[in-house]
Amino acid sequence: PFESKPQTVCTRTEVRTEISILASPKQVWSLLLNTTYYPKWHPYITAIEGEIELGKKIKVFTIDEQKKEGVFKAYILTLEPTKELAWGGSLGFIFSARHYYIIESVGHDTVRFVQGEYWKGWLGKWYGKKIYQNTFESFNLMNQSMKLVLESSIKD
């Protein structure tokens, strides 16, 4: 059952955010996979190079709140149309990370959008400790931006 209060997590090893969006799972999925449109609405991912296909490698370009640009490579780990997308990577026990988006239908044209990330391994715990609060804020900004784009397009 859908709870009105989002189940969020903000720890040194995991960040999880949730938001309710008045849109269909298909609309959310389409926006999520339309990476060429990201620069127009996404607050921290400026571009993604590579195909969003299971097992494929992508290159993700980011920008933080201080306008510092970054880039990382990841593999598509989960790809379930209109339900879940996840990417990440691993260096054995030293570091692993998984970034995920989950789309859950909770009624007629309403979804619970979940975005999260977790870090494991020796370096993962250090990395998570360094970035978890900024990551939580960035995820919430992206969720709000996605909600605004999708709910505005419904009214148009």
Side-chain angles (χ1 to χ4, degrees):
F2 184 65
E3 298 175 17
S4 59
K5 183 178 179 193
Q7 300 299 305
T8 60
V9 174
C10 184
T11 70
R12 294 174 179 185
T13 57
E14 179 182 12
V15 168
R16 177 186 165 104
T17 61
E18 294 185 12
I19 193 166
S20 176
I21 302 175
L22 297 174
S24 70
K26 186 176 179 181
Q27 289 169 310
V28 175
W29 186 256
S30 292
L31 183 61
L32 199 56
L33 263 60
N34 185 355
T35 58
T36 58
Y37 189 58
Y38 275 32
K40 293 182 179 13
W41 72 273
H42 204 294
Y44 64 87
I45 295 179
T46 58
I48 294 179
E49 288 181 1
E51 295 183 45
I52 308 288
E53 291 182 20
L54 194 59
K56 297 277 187 170
K57 186 186 266 188
I58 59 171
K59 196 175 195 181
V60 181
F61 297 84
T62 62
I63 192 162
D64 67 15
E65 60 278 351
Q66 284 89 31
K67 305 296 181 202
K68 182 179 174 188
E69 296 178 353
V71 63
F72 65 88
K73 295 176 183 173
Y75 289 94
I76 302 297
L77 304 173
T78 306
L79 185 65
E80 293 182 44
T82 71
K83 293 184 189 312
E84 185 175 358
L85 170 64
W87 62 59
S90 175
L91 296 170
F93 69 91
I94 296 172
F95 179 79
S96 69
R98 181 182 185 95
H99 186 101
Y100 59 89
Y101 304 102
I102 299 169
I103 303 164
E104 298 176 340
S105 181
V106 294
H108 180 67
D109 285 342
T110 302
V111 300
R112 176 191 344 224
F113 180 74
V114 179
Q115 178 179 194
E117 187 165 304
Y118 58 82
W119 311 276
K120 293 183 178 180
W122 177 79
L123 188 58
K125 290 177 184 176
W126 173 84
Y127 182 73
K129 180 180 179 180
K130 184 178 171 185
I131 68 157
Y132 78 100
Q133 289 178 324
N134 287 339
T135 300
F136 183 75
E137 291 169 16
S138 294
F139 286 7
N140 280 318
L141 282 174
M142 185 236 159
N143 294 355
Q144 288 294 332
S145 185
M146 175 180 265
K147 179 180 177 81
L148 182 64
V149 166
L150 288 167
E151 291 184 357
S152 295
S153 69
I154 291 170
K155 294 174 187 167
D156 293 341

